[in-house]
Amino acid sequence: VTLHLAALWVIFTLHVGHVPVEDLSPYNAVSYVRQLFGVQLWFQPFFDGSSWDGPAWSISAEWLAYLSFGLIVLVVFRMAHVTRARSLMLLALVASLPPVLLLLTSGHFYTPWSWLPRILMQFTAGALACAAVRKLTLSDRARVAAGVAALALIGVMVGMLYFLDAHPIAGVIDSGGVVDLLFTPLIIALAVGVGTLPRLLATRVMVVGGQISFCLYMVHELVHTAWTWTAKQFELTLTGSNGWLIVVGLLVLCVMAAALLYYVVEEPARKWMRRMADVRTDDEPAAPTAEVAELES
């Protein structure tokens, strides 16, 4: 949907207004078909200009990881049978290291094909972290401590970003990228923790925000692109007393568009695809959905 919204926007700007048209060389039949099937990034070392709707580059990378999941899950499944939870957590941390090691080696987080180890290794790290969490048996006190640890990790990460911005590592331009090391522990702490940050993230508002977050990610660049064109077309700025109103209006527009896409496109499509996976003859009982199985358990 956002691919075609982006295409419609390009067509609109070709025929309306006096703002110079952006570079249209990436938009052709081949790039359209590649993005339609989610493989557009597989042929490019950098994600700049890879997608008609900018954020779709990461969807292409994730699609590659999902295709590899069939192999990864077999390995992780067998490892989980013979490995303690503590060792699985350590392996998850090790699996998340390659992007940081490449950063420290090259000095840049964004290098040719850097997206490939980022998605594959951190996807594997997530699978190992999941296996570790499923094997953990924690007391209530330990779960509370994990919740506090998650909050502390957020604070440490923010502090590191500020510190490394003021005092970068010698020879490393994107020094803040080393905070990646803390993401795996943070995800594990959030998965098992209770209270504090996990409790906040479990509130209804935050859950709904999480549900529409994918649509927000996919639509925010369209809103930004439209604002940039509008600002040039009508010579608008964010300075002055009305600047903050424009910013708030753009944020509200993004959230409203994301909610619309979620309830009209994403969620109906998810249920539609689930029904296609539940193909059976008339005399066969329907398999219980994940939601029903959870309730029964």
Side-chain angles (χ1 to χ4, degrees):
V1 171
T2 54
L3 162 65
H4 293 100
L5 287 175
L8 288 173
W9 176 254
V10 169
I11 295 171
F12 174 80
T13 57
L14 281 172
H15 302 284
V16 176
H18 57 76
V19 179
V21 178
E22 60 181 295
D23 180 19
L24 300 181
S25 58
Y27 305 125
N28 53 58
V30 173
S31 66
Y32 171 82
V33 172
R34 284 177 177 176
Q35 184 165 339
L36 197 63
F37 287 95
V39 300
Q40 70 271 22
L41 189 63
W42 301 3
F43 304 90
Q44 297 187 209
F46 294 101
F47 55 71
D48 296 301
S50 63
S51 305
W52 290 37
D53 177 20
W57 73 266
S58 66
I59 309 305
S60 180
E62 290 158 17
W63 176 223
L64 180 61
Y66 297 154
L67 289 177
S68 67
F69 178 69
L71 175 61
I72 293 174
V73 70
L74 294 177
V75 178
V76 173
F77 181 76
R78 292 193 174 275
M79 291 173 65
H81 270 283
V82 296
T83 310
R84 294 183 301 173
R86 187 189 312 170
S87 299
L88 287 170
M89 286 190 282
L90 180 60
L91 288 170
L93 180 62
V94 171
S96 69
L97 289 179
V100 177
L101 296 177
L102 291 172
L103 164 66
L104 296 175
T105 301
S106 66
H108 295 272
F109 205 63
Y110 188 36
T111 54
W113 300 104
S114 60
W115 63 267
L116 189 57
R118 279 174 59 188
I119 186 63
L120 291 180
M121 296 310 300
Q122 293 178 341
F123 186 86
T124 303
L128 289 166
C130 176
V133 167
R134 289 172 65 89
K135 295 195 72 170
L136 282 175
T137 303
L138 299 177
S139 64
D140 292 341
R141 179 177 297 181
R143 290 187 178 276
V144 171
V148 174
L151 188 60
L153 282 168
I154 292 289
V156 171
M157 293 167 74
V158 173
M160 285 180 62
L161 288 172
Y162 275 100
F163 178 82
L164 291 171
D165 183 59
H167 308 282
I169 302 171
V172 179
I173 305 299
D174 302 320
S175 295
V178 298
V179 300
D180 265 24
L181 295 173
L182 300 180
F183 271 103
T184 299
L186 174 62
I187 295 299
I188 293 174
L190 286 172
V192 301
V194 295
T196 56
L197 184 58
R199 178 180 296 174
L200 172 64
L201 295 177
T203 58
R204 180 59 180 165
V205 172
M206 297 300 290
V207 170
V208 172
Q211 288 174 330
I212 70 171
S213 62
F214 177 76
C215 291
L216 179 62
Y217 175 65
M218 292 302 295
V219 80
H220 83 277
E221 184 63 25
L222 293 174
V223 174
H224 178 257
T225 301
W227 156 251
T228 302
W229 180 89
T230 303
K232 293 178 180 179
Q233 176 70 28
F234 300 102
E235 299 181 356
L236 303 176
T237 67
L238 295 178
T239 58
S241 57
N242 293 329
W244 69 273
L245 287 174
I246 296 176
V247 173
V248 172
L250 291 172
L251 292 174
V252 170
L253 180 60
C254 282
V255 173
M256 291 177 61
L260 180 66
L261 280 176
Y262 175 75
Y263 289 110
V264 176
V265 178
E266 182 183 339
E267 185 62 4
R270 184 186 71 84
K271 293 179 178 179
W272 174 55
M273 288 186 286
R274 287 287 295 272
R275 289 196 299 270
M276 284 194 288
D278 190 29
V279 176
R280 63 187 189 283
T281 60
D282 292 337
D283 56 346
E284 286 182 298
T289 63
E291 292 84 352
V292 171
E294 183 178 352
L295 289 173
E296 290 177 347
S297 64

